[in-house]
């Protein structure tokens, strides 16, 4: 299986980049709210006071690379920046093509050496969404039940 991310239904491979295998997807951190009781060693935990735990946004980080041809590096990089930097995207991660994240893209400056590389970070909502939502169809009879 080829490693690639998909941004708005366009794969990093189709954009002309290789995905560095050292990518990270953070787990969403719970928002924990506690109140200390004065003159006591007790704490009141208000985390679930509205029914369920709320979560902070999660960070997805990956590095894109391009080897050849060197004279097109800047063009590929600027095309990626123009298409995605600062925009909200649907991001599909490797190994989990049945779900996607929603987040805003930030692109770091490009690094040049024996190959082009640059870091991409996406600040995502804490949830993963199904690409194909579950649909239930029911037939309701008109007769009495």
């Amino acid at each position: 299986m080829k490693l690639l991310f998909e941004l708005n239904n366009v794969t990093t491979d189709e954009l002309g980049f290789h995905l560095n295998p050292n990518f990270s997807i953070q787990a969403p951190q719970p928002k924990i709210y506690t109140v200390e009781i004065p003159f006591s060693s007790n704490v009141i935990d208000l985390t679930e006071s509205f029914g369920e735990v709320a979560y902070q946004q999660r960070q997805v980080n990956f590095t894109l690379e391009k080897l050849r041809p060197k004279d097109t590096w800047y063009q590929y990089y600027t095309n990626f920046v123009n298409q995605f930097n600062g925009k909200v995207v649907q991001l599909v991660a490797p190994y989990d093509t049945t779900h996607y994240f929603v987040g805003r893209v930030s692109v770091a400056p490009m690094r040049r050496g024996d190959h082009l590389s640059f870091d991409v970070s996406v600040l995502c909502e804490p949830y993963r969404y199904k690409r194909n939502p579950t649909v239930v169809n029911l037939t309701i009879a008109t007769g009495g039940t």
Side-chain angles (χ1 to χ4, degrees):
M1 176 180 186
K2 193 168 194 174
L3 281 180
L4 47 87
F5 273 94
E6 189 177 303
L7 296 96
N8 289 344
N9 298 318
V10 179
T11 65
T12 51
D13 196 38
E14 291 171 341
L15 294 166
F17 297 105
H18 299 287
L19 175 64
N20 185 306
N22 297 324
F23 61 87
S24 65
I25 301 172
Q26 290 180 350
Q29 298 300 311
K31 292 182 178 181
I32 299 173
Y33 299 104
T34 58
V35 177
E36 291 190 24
I37 308 293
F39 309 107
S40 170
S41 58
N42 292 334
V43 174
I44 297 176
D45 187 353
L46 299 173
T47 304
E48 297 178 32
S49 59
F50 290 108
E52 59 185 51
V53 178
Y55 293 93
Q56 297 176 18
Q57 292 180 316
R58 69 168 79 203
Q59 191 79 31
V60 177
N61 298 308
F62 56 95
T63 301
L64 295 178
E65 301 174 335
K66 182 156 185 64
L67 297 174
R68 303 262 185 278
K70 289 184 176 186
D71 59 343
T72 62
W73 284 356
Y74 186 71
Q75 180 181 354
Y76 275 88
Y77 173 75
T78 55
N79 287 344
F80 186 88
V81 168
N82 291 340
Q83 189 170 357
F84 297 111
N85 193 34
K87 306 234 171 52
V88 174
V89 298
Q90 287 187 359
L91 179 72
V92 178
Y95 308 121
D96 188 11
T97 58
T98 59
H99 294 87
Y100 66 91
F101 300 103
V102 175
R104 189 168 303 278
V105 176
S106 296
V107 180
M110 69 179 202
R111 297 182 299 274
R112 294 177 17 168
D114 56 345
H115 65 282
L116 164 72
S117 67
F118 58 94
D119 297 325
V120 179
S121 62
V122 185
L123 185 60
C124 296
E125 296 173 5
Y127 310 105
R128 293 181 319 145
Y129 299 97
K130 286 185 176 181
R131 287 180 95 174
N132 299 314
T134 302
V135 177
V136 178
N137 291 320
L138 298 174
T139 304
I140 299 174
T142 58
T145 54

